[in-house]
Amino acid sequence: MPATDEGLVHHIASALLHSARQHKPRIYNGVSGQVLRRCLDDAPLRAALFRFIDVLPQLQGSAAQAAHLRAYLDEAGSTGLLPGLMKLSARPSLSWLATLQIRHLAQNFLVEETPRALALVLNKLAALPATVTLDAVGEAVLTEAEADAYRDRVLWQLQQDWCAKHGQRQAPHLSIKLTALAPGFDPLDAGGTRRRVYARLTPILELAAERQATVTIDMEHHELKQQIVDLFLDAVVHFNDPRWQPAIALQAYLPETRDDLSRVLEAAQRSGRRLGVRLVKGAYWDQEHAWALERGWPMPCYLDKAATDANYEALTAILLARTDTLHVAIAGHNPRSLAVAIAHARQAGLTATQWEIQMLHGMAEPLRDALIEQDVPLRIYVPTGDLLSGMAYLIRRLLENTAGTSILRQTWLDEAQDAALLQRPAPPVPSASTPVSAPPPTLPLSDFSRPEVRAAFQRALDSMQAQLSERPATGAERYQSRNPHAPQQILGSARMTPLNEVDAIIAAARAAQRGWAARPVVERVNTLSALADHIDAARHHFAAIQVLEAGKPWREADADVAEAIDFLRYYGAQMLALSGDHATVDFPGERNRYCYRPRGLAVVIAPWNFPLAILTGMTAAALVTGNAALIKPALPGLQSALALRAAMDAVGIPRDVCPLLIGDADLGRALVAHSAVEIIAFTGSRAVGLDILHEAHTPRSGQRHIKQVVCEMGGKNAIVVDADADLDEAVGGILASAFGYSGQKCSACSRVIAVEAIAPSLQQRLVAAAATLRWGDPADPSCDHGPLISAAARQKALDYIAIGGQEAHLLWQGSVPQGDGSGWYCPPTIFTEVRPEHRIAREEIFGPVLALMTAPDFATALAIANNCDYALTGGVYSRLPRHLALARDEFRVGNLYLNRRTTGARVGVQPFGGIALSGTGIQAGGPDYLKQFMWMQSSSENIMRKGFVPGGE
Ligand code: NAD
């Protein structure tokens, strides 16, 4: 890499800065500019403004606009002249003013997609010694129609009259986002994604070739980066018509970008084509950081802005030294960074055909003019789109203009010293990725965007599949575990526990419990921790079992295993805090203490739908508190239970302390009824749960204790969609909640109650997005959803679909694999015109069946949601603080989710469990759970002896 001539860089940068500082960028002028400038130092006001901009496209009418603006400003609590004026405008008669200002702001950056508006801007820019590139702004799409619309916008751009430059024809030059070309863009389904993207990319690149255009593939979130680079390199080979110019954007805030650049260079050499690279700093830092913390994945970007700047300079040097194979675009607004590029280009004698600087339309015009004075090849990046729906883009640009670290802000508003702005950035730490500081609260889910993780998971699946057989084991007393996708395939079999063996098993467990309880708490905690580590080390194996036995797609299976591990670690930590003596109130002559003691013998009765997580969670709670635990899994989850018991063997949990009993309802009933049992930890259906409660609270002869029942039951969960909901979020969240694991989660959404104003558009997008989901073999990562657990479960769901057909209106039904041996699939179904009294609105269905209802207003929608026997999870999509507060106060559910999906609770983060007929109200994975497995003893000791008080002298 050629060394940077610091003297030259400094000279150019100073000239740029000096010239640029003669004027202020347009964005900071006028009323909206005043507001922005005030927002720089008033973070709550800035948040209020951004929230208003975010919701604006969804608001119908001035009353709604005024209500939102007022609510956000009230929450911000800012005082002074400007916030006061803003509040004044937050009334229906004046809210048009705020809307107008935001349109003005948007117009700074975005050009409307009409031939007239575009020609106007292109002609204006033609007066500059600069070329243009267009970007049809778009985000990831949910439906095929949205992807079609995006493709058509790009085709439209290609067809425009690009003769704007002094009457000379310009070749079209544009950027596209691959995620906007196909719904379901997913690293787990590389082949399917490629096929879907190519269906729309092909006509674009064909026209691009005809028009001799440059097409730059934009870079997006890190999770998709690998796939985007792969697709770009693939397109270079696949669409090898030399008339179009391929280019890709690379982000300097990623340490990995150097490797990606090497791949691009190699591809350029191999293909003999000159490829384009646009170097940017990266626009998703805040999101990447938030996601990394939430997911517990390494932060892919540099944490330190100077490191990004230094990497940018280093990459600039590499790129500009390779203009033999690359066409290089250096995109940015930082005078020093751009000066580095100019210095390298001058030293190398590069011409306008080899490199250029790119700047965003509407950003930092004074710097643009300063660059023109320096006579550098310049291209203006012009985003086009609808002024209102381009709000996400607008917010990103405003962030860039107002963030504390923003170079624009430092240059023009903070009036930072030249020396500080021109200082050479400290070089980055040479690590592949920077770990986030806080340790993740739960085990991170597998990152399937990493090829090695996909390969490891596939290997685990392959080895499980190799053990499948189609020959049933002999012996009537053996249970055969079947693959619900291909029921003729048998995963294994096991001997059912005869009822007449129960007494002996219980006697042995009671005897063993004493020794187990006598072990120091730390030892029990360490044993569970060892079990967690053991499962963690084989997590893909445990997940593969669920793919084949429970019909769980990869991500669902992986999450279940992670949750099991979390339970083991979380309850261990909780037990350490609960163990020992705890003081209440002491007096000089009296010492008061309490402690927790194990109850004795627990029976754990688990469902099949989280075959490892729920079984492990209830078992861990029983064991760590010092009880023996007889575990009875549901038969369709047997293989997971067998694997769990084998893992227990490996870490030394005695079989007598935790015997595995294999059987169905009869065995469960026998265990529940046994007089020696002291705790019943049950998770399953409402009917069985209520039976268990009834039976457990009826003492048997000789029974001298009350059985403690931990009882988690079903749900009929609702999501309320308010008139101002973000439909991108709501549609994605509803579909994930309703159809995730084919609707077989107790937390699944099965009712949507939409406020009438939004119902038609919600329905339309929901159906279109649902149609993009793929149902099929869960072992195939291209499938989003799989079969139901059994023939009986399928029949039950189909019966409800028939009932729904009579009660309501069938809005949409998807297709699933059909035919002999094709598995227990139930078509995903959406009903509309459902009323609260309908059975499909009241009864738990446990399949992919969704009931859509409407309500005139938010409060009524909430009342409908609450009018239900169950109260497990509930969701609300709204952007009005008052409505979110109402939901917090009045939505009576165990787990309330605001503006996110209703499934996927994390141990210790979202303790989980319901009330009403969904459960007893003490949540699994929460701080109170373990106490149910113990009894509490308090002791009070008189320590005064004949008037002598120890420690009192
Ligand atoms: P289920 O009630 O049919 O069976 C659960 C367990 O109970 C199984 O092990 C079963 O063999 C056993 N069992 C059945 N009848 C019994 C009886 N009379 N006495 C003792 N044990 C008996 O439930 P399922 O089909 O396995 O699971 C799905 C149900 O579980 C759904 O209703 C779902 O909502 C609920 N669920 C609730 C939660 C929660 O946390 N609230 C979590 C997962 C599943």
Side-chain angles (χ1 to χ4, degrees):
M1 190 196 314
T4 322
D5 179 340
E6 263 306 307
L8 182 58
V9 170
H10 197 268
H11 173 73
I12 300 169
S14 305
L16 286 177
L17 198 58
H18 175 76
S19 167
R21 276 184 157 170
Q22 304 302 313
H23 306 280
K24 282 230 171 357
R26 200 152 53 105
I27 178 83
Y28 297 126
N29 295 336
V31 180
S32 55
Q34 289 294 328
V35 174
L36 271 192
R37 291 167 73 162
R38 170 67 206 262
C39 286
L40 298 177
D41 303 314
D42 188 339
L45 187 65
R46 191 160 75 122
L49 177 71
F50 284 13
R51 286 168 77 190
F52 184 61
I53 292 174
D54 169 58
V55 74
L56 188 60
Q58 187 62 42
L59 298 181
Q60 290 172 359
S62 51
Q65 288 169 1
H68 283 77
L69 184 55
R70 169 118 229 153
Y72 298 151
L73 290 171
D74 283 350
E75 280 200 347
S78 302
T79 52
L81 182 62
L82 198 66
L85 285 174
M86 287 167 80
K87 271 187 202 163
L88 267 184
S89 75
R91 54 179 71 176
S93 58
L94 289 178
S95 66
W96 60 271
L97 252 175
T99 315
L100 192 73
Q101 286 303 328
I102 287 170
R103 286 184 79 89
H104 267 316
L105 266 180
Q107 266 162 350
N108 265 303
F109 301 110
L110 261 175
V111 177
E112 280 184 283
E113 276 168 16
T114 63
R116 204 169 151 268
L118 188 63
L120 213 68
V121 172
L122 288 182
N123 282 329
K124 213 161 140 199
L125 292 174
L128 301 172
T131 47
V132 168
T133 182
L134 294 186
D135 169 23
V137 296
E139 306 288 319
V141 291
L142 285 171
T143 69
E144 301 292 348
E146 287 161 22
D148 282 346
Y150 181 78
R151 174 205 56 207
D152 292 347
R153 288 170 60 207
V154 174
L155 291 173
W156 178 85
Q157 284 187 340
L158 280 169
Q159 282 153 347
Q160 290 315 291
D161 179 12
W162 284 73
C163 300
K165 195 89 194 151
H166 307 306
Q168 265 203 337
R169 185 180 180 277
Q170 299 289 300
H173 195 292
L174 39 96
S175 298
I176 58 173
K177 277 206 169 54
L178 294 186
T179 57
L181 282 177
F185 193 97
D186 187 353
L188 197 45
D189 178 21
T193 302
R194 179 182 184 276
R195 222 174 21 256
R196 292 189 291 278
V197 166
Y198 268 29
R200 294 188 180 88
L201 187 61
T202 304
I204 290 175
L205 295 187
E206 281 170 359
L207 185 59
E210 222 174 271
R211 304 276 287 152
Q212 299 182 0
T214 297
V215 178
T216 305
I217 307 293
D218 246 332
M219 193 46 71
E220 307 186 43
H221 301 113
H222 176 258
E223 195 182 354
L224 306 179
K225 185 206 66 174
Q226 181 83 34
Q227 202 177 1
I228 291 174
V229 174
D230 289 350
L231 280 166
F232 168 71
L233 297 178
D234 187 289
V236 169
V237 177
H238 196 82
F239 299 96
N240 58 3
D241 188 326
R243 291 174 303 162
W244 78 284
Q245 169 64 55
I248 185 164
L250 295 177
Q251 298 156 325
Y253 66 16
L254 299 179
E256 291 171 4
T257 289
R258 279 171 195 244
D259 301 334
D260 297 325
L261 180 54
S262 303
R263 291 183 66 200
V264 173
L265 277 164
E266 268 169 37
Q269 271 157 353
R270 246 196 336 268
S271 66
R273 292 187 73 172
R274 211 147 159 262
L275 301 180
V277 170
R278 171 164 65 227
L279 182 66
V280 298
K281 287 200 175 158
Y284 301 91
W285 193 94
D286 288 326
Q287 221 166 3
E288 299 285 11
H289 188 237
W291 282 350
L293 283 174
E294 191 196 319
R295 297 170 175 180
W297 291 356
M299 171 63 171
C301 314
Y302 291 114
L303 289 174
D304 169 14
K305 190 164 181 311
T308 297
D309 288 346
N311 194 39
Y312 185 89
E313 291 188 7
L315 289 167
T316 297
I318 299 174
L319 285 165
L320 292 177
R322 297 307 308 270
T323 51
D324 53 330
T325 29
L326 301 176
H327 181 274
V328 179
I330 303 294
H333 306 92
N334 179 323
R336 162 147 185 126
S337 307
L338 297 181
V340 168
I342 297 168
H344 278 292
R346 283 198 187 145
Q347 279 173 315
L350 301 184
T351 67
T353 55
Q354 293 168 301
W355 87 291
E356 65 192 28
I357 285 178
Q358 289 188 4
M359 291 186 74
L360 287 175
H361 173 61
M363 298 266 279
E365 304 88 345
L367 180 62
R368 178 196 69 192
D369 297 339
L371 286 165
I372 289 170
E373 283 168 16
Q374 292 283 333
D375 196 25
V376 294
L378 182 64
R379 189 179 295 277
I380 308 296
Y381 185 104
V382 181
T384 70
D386 178 76
L387 287 190
L388 282 186
S389 51
M391 286 303 170
Y393 178 82
L394 175 61
I395 290 177
R396 276 211 286 281
R397 294 294 80 84
L398 293 181
L399 265 173
E400 268 182 81
N401 278 274
T402 53
T405 51
S406 150
I407 188 72
L408 302 156
R409 172 181 168 167
Q410 289 169 1
T411 305
W412 282 285
L413 297 180
D414 295 349
E415 315 251 321
Q417 297 290 311
D418 284 13
L421 291 177
L422 302 182
Q423 197 183 354
R424 186 177 194 168
V429 184
S431 69
S433 59
T434 319
V436 277
S437 47
T442 52
L443 184 73
L445 300 182
S446 294
D447 177 0
F448 288 115
S449 72
R450 290 166 48 200
E452 71 279 14
V453 177
R454 295 200 295 272
F457 198 97
Q458 186 63 59
R459 277 197 301 278
L461 258 180
D462 290 345
S463 105
M464 278 294 300
Q465 271 168 326
Q467 292 164 32
L468 290 172
S469 143
E470 297 203 357
R471 257 199 332 223
T474 49
E477 74 289 0
R478 291 191 80 79
Y479 177 78
Q480 330 263 354
S481 300
R482 291 179 183 274
N483 177 355
H485 164 71
Q488 72 282 6
Q489 293 179 347
I490 294 170
L491 283 87
S493 71
R495 174 179 173 268
M496 304 271 272
T497 308
L499 292 186
N500 60 14
E501 289 182 9
V502 168
D503 279 341
I505 295 170
I506 285 186
R510 286 182 74 183
Q513 188 263 334
R514 283 188 280 278
W516 177 251
R519 292 193 190 186
V521 168
V522 174
E523 196 182 318
R524 294 202 301 267
V525 169
N526 287 344
T527 307
L528 290 200
S529 168
L531 181 57
D533 294 347
H534 186 88
I535 298 175
D536 195 3
R539 66 186 286 178
H540 295 328
H541 166 72
F542 278 89
I545 295 176
Q546 296 195 35
V547 172
L548 295 174
E549 184 186 30
K552 284 203 178 195
W554 289 30
R555 285 195 178 92
E556 300 280 0
D558 178 67
D560 184 84
V561 176
E563 190 180 350
I565 295 166
D566 290 337
F567 275 130
L568 289 164
R569 293 179 176 153
Y570 177 80
Y571 288 146
Q574 293 290 311
M575 189 59 213
L576 289 177
L578 289 174
S579 64
D581 278 351
H582 303 264
T584 57
V585 179
D586 284 343
F587 300 104
E590 183 179 275
R591 195 162 56 192
N592 294 300
R593 297 284 180 271
Y594 70 91
C595 67
Y596 295 97
R597 297 187 184 285
R599 284 177 179 269
L601 185 66
V603 162
V604 171
I605 300 180
W608 49 264
N609 65 335
F610 289 90
L612 190 66
I614 292 183
L615 181 68
T616 305
M618 292 195 290
T619 307
L623 290 178
V624 81
T625 45
N627 303 288
L630 278 66
I631 56 176
K632 195 212 84 61
L635 288 173
L638 178 61
Q639 296 302 319
S640 282
L642 289 167
L644 174 64
R645 189 48 257 187
M648 288 183 181
D649 290 341
V651 300
I653 297 177
R655 288 206 164 216
D656 280 349
V657 171
C658 188
L660 171 64
L661 285 81
I662 301 173
D664 54 17
D666 288 341
L667 178 63
R669 262 192 289 269
L671 293 172
V672 168
H674 203 285
S675 59
V677 167
E678 281 150 312
I679 313 162
I680 297 153
F682 168 80
T683 305
S685 63
R686 164 172 136 182
V688 174
L690 294 181
D691 276 356
I692 288 178
L693 281 164
H694 184 261
E695 167 59 43
H697 292 152
T698 312
R700 297 266 154 175
S701 79
Q703 181 183 328
R704 303 171 91 179
H705 59 270
I706 299 166
K707 290 179 188 165
Q708 165 79 359
V709 184
V710 177
C711 187
E712 304 294 339
M713 299 177 286
K716 185 70 188 173
N717 312 301
I719 291 181
V720 171
V721 184
D722 201 358
D724 66 351
D726 181 330
L727 279 185
D728 289 341
E729 298 276 339
V731 167
I734 289 169
L735 289 178
S737 307
F739 294 157
Y741 189 32
S742 307
Q744 301 176 104
K745 297 184 190 180
C746 48
S747 52
C749 163
S750 70
R751 299 179 289 154
V752 167
I753 305 150
V755 171
E756 274 160 12
I758 205 170
S761 43
L762 173 70
Q763 275 186 24
Q764 187 233 329
R765 287 195 73 192
L766 203 57
V767 165
T772 67
L773 300 173
R774 295 164 296 278
W775 298 70
D777 186 357
D780 173 354
S782 71
C783 293
D784 298 301
H785 303 296
L788 297 192
I789 192 69
S790 64
R794 175 176 183 271
Q795 190 51 53
K796 199 167 162 201
L798 290 176
D799 290 348
Y800 271 111
I801 290 174
I803 293 168
Q806 288 157 10
E807 291 180 330
H809 172 72
L810 176 68
L811 179 67
W812 173 83
Q813 189 157 58
S815 54
V816 290
Q818 275 175 342
D820 286 347
S822 66
W824 296 313
Y825 285 90
C826 168
T829 306
I830 303 179
F831 288 104
T832 184
E833 296 172 25
V834 180
R835 291 202 304 272
E837 65 275 18
H838 287 160
R839 283 184 66 190
I840 60 163
R842 290 187 290 113
E843 297 173 16
E844 187 181 42
I845 297 180
F846 238 55
V849 182
L850 183 60
L852 300 188
M853 303 150 98
T854 55
D857 53 54
F858 184 77
T860 314
L862 211 51
I864 294 172
N866 271 329
N867 181 12
C868 181
D869 292 350
Y870 296 98
L872 187 49
T873 70
V876 169
Y877 282 91
S878 174
R879 284 181 279 191
L880 194 57
R882 187 159 44 84
H883 285 179
L884 294 174
L886 190 69
R888 268 187 226 105
D889 286 346
E890 295 195 359
F891 203 164
R892 205 165 167 272
V893 287
N895 285 72
L896 176 63
Y897 294 104
L898 304 177
N899 291 316
R900 52 150 285 173
R901 69 196 161 105
T902 61
T903 54
R906 293 164 72 186
V907 173
V909 179
Q910 292 106 6
F912 185 79
I915 47 166
L917 292 180
S918 287
T920 46
I922 294 178
Q923 299 187 306
D928 300 327
Y929 190 72
L930 288 189
K931 294 177 187 168
Q932 302 175 101
F933 293 79
M934 295 181 285
W935 58 281
M936 197 172 159
Q937 182 180 47
S938 58
S939 62
S940 184
E941 183 182 354
N942 173 11
I943 53 173
M944 202 184 314
R945 296 285 179 273
K946 304 269 188 297
F948 168 70
V949 178
E953 64 274 29

